């Protein structure tokens, strides 16, 4: 299994956790620690990371020295708004350029607006940003975003917050097989087994928020997600080991 490398940095954890919907920042911190994730994504339009000096700052609980803070553009419906949000995030995070791009089509299902997403991706990459991009599970769109220069492709498993898991495994496999950049499932994860399935499909990682933050016990759920993502990773490693073992036993094709 290939290493997860984003913006020239290697990550051991395959989980990315969101920071919204928890009861407070202390619970957010506890869940993140329980998950053992190394990348934490933050909605710049909803979460204070220094914009408001009179409110609690998430970064006082989740240190940028310990975690990679991945600002996202949740709540943006145009390329213009998304680009501006990324620029604000970069200013708040001392010039860091790694961002998670989301350009949404409507409030109801938070489905990606692909036209605006492609436009924003091109603009941000020209400005020097490293773009991890939320998109549909369309393999053609995923490849186009890669060709534009996106750092990581993040196809949805199903609608954000739906908890329906990965609806179209075939498309996710197609995206993985045709990609040269990391593929991280983003959205739709509802249970710990969904995280395992994402990894078993060959994804490089999985991002979640609602499934953990809205659980009865977010800390316990975060730990379950950690364990199941590792289980899926171990499955892939075992499959690869068996394949390599068979090739060593039978290095030449049988006739």
């Amino acid at each position: 299994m290939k290493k997860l490398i984003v913006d020239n940095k290697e990550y051991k954890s395959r989980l990315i956790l969101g920071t919204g919907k928890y009861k407070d920042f202390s619970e957010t911190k506890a869940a993140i620690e329980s998950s053992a994730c190394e990348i934490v994504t933050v909605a710049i339009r909803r979460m204070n990371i220094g914009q408001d000096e009179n409110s609690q700052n998430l970064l006082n609980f989740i240190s940028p020295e310990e975690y990679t803070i991945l600002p996202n553009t949740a709540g943006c419906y145009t390329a213009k708004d998304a680009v501006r949000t990324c620029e604000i995030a970069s200013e708040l995070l001392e010039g860091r350029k790694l961002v998670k791009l989301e350009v949404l089509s409507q409030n109801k299902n938070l489905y990606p607006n692909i036209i605006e997403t492609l436009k924003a991706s091109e603009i941000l990459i020209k400005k020097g940003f490293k773009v991890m991009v939320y998109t549909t599970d369309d393999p053609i769109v995923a490849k186009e975003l890669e060709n534009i220069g996106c750092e990581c492709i993040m196809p949805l498993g199903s609608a954000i917050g739906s908890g329906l898991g990965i609806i179209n495994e075939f498309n996710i496999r197609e995206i993985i097989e045709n990609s040269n950049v990391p593929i991280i499932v983003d959205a739709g994860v509802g249970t710990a087994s969904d995280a395992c399935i994402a990894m078993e499909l060959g994804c490089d990682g999985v991002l979640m928020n609602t499934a953990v933050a809205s659980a009865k016990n977010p800390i316990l759920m975060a730990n379950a997600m950690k364990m199941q993502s590792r289980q899926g990773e171990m499955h892939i490693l075992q499959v690869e080991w068996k394949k390599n073992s068979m090739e060593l036993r039978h290095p030449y094709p049988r006739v």
Side-chain angles (χ1 to χ4, degrees), residues 1-14 38 151-152 180-184 199 202-205 233 236-237 240:
M1 189 173 190
K2 65 183 180 180
K3 297 177 180 179
L4 175 57
I5 299 174
V6 179
D7 193 20
N8 298 314
K9 182 177 179 179
E10 180 181 344
Y11 295 92
K12 293 180 180 179
S13 173
R14 303 283 174 159
E38 297 169 283
E151 186 82 12
C152 175
N180 296 308
V181 297
I183 303 299
I184 297 177
M199 298 307 301
C203 293
D204 295 285
E233 187 177 354
I236 292 295
L237 290 171
E240 291 177 350

Coordinates of all heavy atoms in Angstrom, one line a residue, residues 1-14 38 151-152 180-184 199 202-205 233 236-237 240:
M1 N 0.9 -1.2 0.0 CA 0.0 0.0 0.0 C 0.9 1.2 0.0 O 1.8 1.4 0.8 CB -0.9 0.0 1.2 CG -2.0 1.1 1.2 SD -3.1 0.9 2.6 CE -4.3 2.1 2.1
K2 N 0.6 2.2 -0.9 CA 1.4 3.4 -1.0 C 1.2 4.3 0.2 O 0.2 4.3 0.9 CB 1.1 4.1 -2.3 CG -0.3 4.7 -2.4 CD -0.5 5.4 -3.7 CE -1.9 5.9 -3.9 NZ -2.1 6.6 -5.2
K3 N 2.2 5.0 0.5 CA 2.2 6.0 1.6 C 1.3 7.1 1.3 O 1.1 7.5 0.2 CB 3.6 6.5 1.9 CG 4.6 5.4 2.3 CD 6.0 6.1 2.5 CE 7.0 5.0 2.9 NZ 8.4 5.6 3.1
L4 N 0.7 7.7 2.4 CA -0.2 8.9 2.2 C 0.7 10.1 2.3 O 1.2 10.4 3.4 CB -1.3 8.9 3.3 CG -2.2 10.1 3.3 CD1 -2.8 10.4 1.9 CD2 -3.2 10.1 4.4
I5 N 0.9 10.7 1.2 CA 1.8 11.9 1.2 C 1.0 13.1 0.6 O 0.5 13.0 -0.5 CB 3.1 11.7 0.4 CG1 3.9 10.6 1.0 CG2 3.9 13.0 0.3 CD1 5.1 10.2 0.2
V6 N 0.8 14.1 1.4 CA 0.1 15.3 1.0 C 1.0 16.5 1.2 O 1.5 16.7 2.3 CB -1.2 15.5 1.8 CG1 -2.0 16.7 1.4 CG2 -2.1 14.3 1.6
D7 N 1.1 17.3 0.2 CA 2.0 18.5 0.2 C 3.4 18.2 0.8 O 3.9 18.9 1.6 CB 1.3 19.6 1.1 CG 2.0 21.0 1.0 OD1 2.6 21.2 -0.1 OD2 1.8 21.8 1.9
N8 N 3.9 17.1 0.2 CA 5.3 16.6 0.5 C 5.5 16.2 2.0 O 6.6 16.1 2.5 CB 6.3 17.7 0.2 CG 6.3 18.1 -1.2 OD1 6.3 17.2 -2.1 ND2 6.3 19.4 -1.6
K9 N 4.4 15.9 2.7 CA 4.5 15.4 4.1 C 3.8 14.1 4.2 O 2.7 13.9 3.7 CB 3.8 16.4 5.0 CG 3.9 16.0 6.5 CD 3.3 17.0 7.4 CE 3.4 16.6 8.9 NZ 2.8 17.6 9.8
E10 N 4.5 13.1 4.8 CA 3.9 11.8 5.0 C 3.1 11.7 6.2 O 3.5 12.2 7.3 CB 5.0 10.7 5.0 CG 4.5 9.3 5.2 CD 5.6 8.3 5.2 OE1 6.7 8.6 4.9 OE2 5.3 7.1 5.7
Y11 N 1.9 11.0 6.1 CA 1.0 10.8 7.3 C 0.8 9.4 7.5 O 0.6 8.6 6.6 CB -0.3 11.5 7.0 CG -0.2 13.0 6.9 CD1 -0.1 13.6 5.6 CD2 -0.3 13.8 8.0 CE1 0.0 15.0 5.5 CE2 -0.2 15.2 7.9 CZ 0.0 15.8 6.7 OH 0.1 17.1 6.6
K12 N 0.9 9.0 8.8 CA 0.7 7.6 9.2 C -0.8 7.3 9.3 O -1.3 6.2 9.0 CB 1.4 7.3 10.5 CG 2.9 7.3 10.4 CD 3.6 7.0 11.7 CE 5.1 7.1 11.6 NZ 5.8 6.8 12.9
S13 N -1.6 8.2 9.9 CA -3.0 8.0 10.0 C -3.7 8.3 8.7 O -3.4 9.2 7.9 CB -3.6 9.0 11.1 OG -5.0 8.9 11.1
R14 N -4.7 7.4 8.4 CA -5.5 7.6 7.2 C -6.8 8.3 7.4 O -7.6 8.4 6.5 CB -5.8 6.2 6.6 CG -4.6 5.3 6.4 CD -3.9 5.8 5.1 NE -2.6 5.1 4.9 CZ -2.0 5.0 3.7 NH1 -2.6 5.5 2.6 NH2 -0.8 4.3 3.6
E38 N -4.0 13.0 12.1 CA -3.0 14.0 12.0 C -3.4 15.2 11.2 O -2.7 16.2 11.3 CB -1.7 13.3 11.4 CG -1.2 12.2 12.2 CD -0.1 11.4 11.4 OE1 -0.5 10.6 10.5 OE2 1.1 11.6 11.6
E151 N -3.9 18.5 -5.5 CA -3.0 17.7 -4.6 C -3.6 16.4 -4.3 O -3.0 15.4 -4.1 CB -2.7 18.5 -3.4 CG -1.7 17.9 -2.5 CD -0.3 18.2 -2.9 OE1 0.0 19.0 -3.8 OE2 0.6 17.5 -2.3
C152 N -5.0 16.4 -4.1 CA -5.7 15.2 -3.6 C -7.1 15.3 -4.1 O -7.7 16.4 -4.1 CB -5.6 15.2 -2.1 SG -6.6 13.9 -1.3
N180 N -3.2 9.3 -10.0 CA -1.8 9.4 -9.6 C -1.6 10.2 -8.4 O -0.5 10.6 -8.0 CB -0.9 9.9 -10.8 CG -0.9 8.9 -12.0 OD1 -0.6 7.7 -11.8 ND2 -1.2 9.5 -13.1
V181 N -2.7 10.6 -7.8 CA -2.7 11.4 -6.6 C -3.5 10.7 -5.5 O -4.3 9.8 -5.8 CB -3.2 12.9 -6.8 CG1 -2.3 13.6 -7.8 CG2 -4.6 12.9 -7.3
P182 N -3.4 11.1 -4.2 CA -4.2 10.4 -3.2 C -5.7 10.6 -3.4 O -6.1 11.7 -3.8 CB -3.7 11.1 -1.9 CG -2.3 11.6 -2.2 CD -2.4 12.0 -3.6
I183 N -6.4 9.5 -3.1 CA -7.9 9.6 -3.2 C -8.4 9.4 -1.8 O -8.1 8.3 -1.1 CB -8.4 8.5 -4.1 CG1 -7.8 8.6 -5.5 CG2 -10.0 8.5 -4.1 CD1 -8.1 9.9 -6.2
I184 N -9.2 10.3 -1.3 CA -9.7 10.3 0.1 C -11.2 10.5 0.0 O -11.7 11.5 -0.5 CB -9.1 11.4 1.0 CG1 -7.6 11.1 1.1 CG2 -9.7 11.4 2.3 CD1 -6.8 12.2 1.9
M199 N -11.2 2.0 2.9 CA -9.8 1.5 2.9 C -9.7 0.3 2.1 O -8.8 0.1 1.3 CB -9.3 1.4 4.3 CG -9.3 2.6 5.1 SD -8.4 4.0 4.3 CE -6.8 3.3 4.0
G202 N -9.3 0.6 -1.5 CA -8.1 1.1 -2.0 C -7.9 2.6 -1.8 O -6.9 3.1 -2.3
C203 N -8.8 3.2 -1.1 CA -8.6 4.7 -0.9 C -7.4 4.9 0.0 O -7.0 4.1 0.8 CB -9.9 5.2 -0.2 SG -11.4 5.2 -1.2
D204 N -6.8 6.1 -0.2 CA -5.7 6.5 0.6 C -6.1 7.0 2.0 O -5.2 7.1 2.9 CB -4.9 7.6 -0.1 CG -4.3 7.0 -1.4 OD1 -3.3 6.2 -1.3 OD2 -4.8 7.3 -2.5
G205 N -7.3 7.3 2.2 CA -7.8 7.8 3.4 C -9.3 8.1 3.4 O -10.0 7.9 2.4
E233 N -7.0 -1.0 6.2 CA -5.6 -0.8 5.7 C -4.9 -2.2 5.8 O -4.2 -2.6 4.8 CB -4.9 0.2 6.5 CG -3.5 0.6 6.0 CD -2.9 1.7 6.8 OE1 -3.6 2.2 7.7 OE2 -1.7 2.0 6.6
I236 N -5.8 -4.5 2.9 CA -5.1 -4.2 1.6 C -3.7 -4.7 1.7 O -3.2 -5.3 0.7 CB -5.1 -2.7 1.4 CG1 -6.5 -2.2 1.0 CG2 -4.1 -2.3 0.2 CD1 -7.1 -2.7 -0.2
L237 N -3.0 -4.5 2.8 CA -1.7 -5.0 3.0 C -1.6 -6.6 2.9 O -0.7 -7.1 2.3 CB -1.1 -4.6 4.3 CG -0.8 -3.1 4.5 CD1 -0.5 -2.7 5.9 CD2 0.3 -2.6 3.5
E240 N -2.0 -7.5 -0.8 CA -0.8 -7.3 -1.5 C 0.3 -8.3 -1.2 O 1.0 -8.8 -2.0 CB -0.3 -5.9 -1.2 CG -1.1 -4.8 -1.8 CD -0.7 -3.4 -1.4 OE1 0.2 -3.3 -0.5 OE2 -1.2 -2.4 -1.9

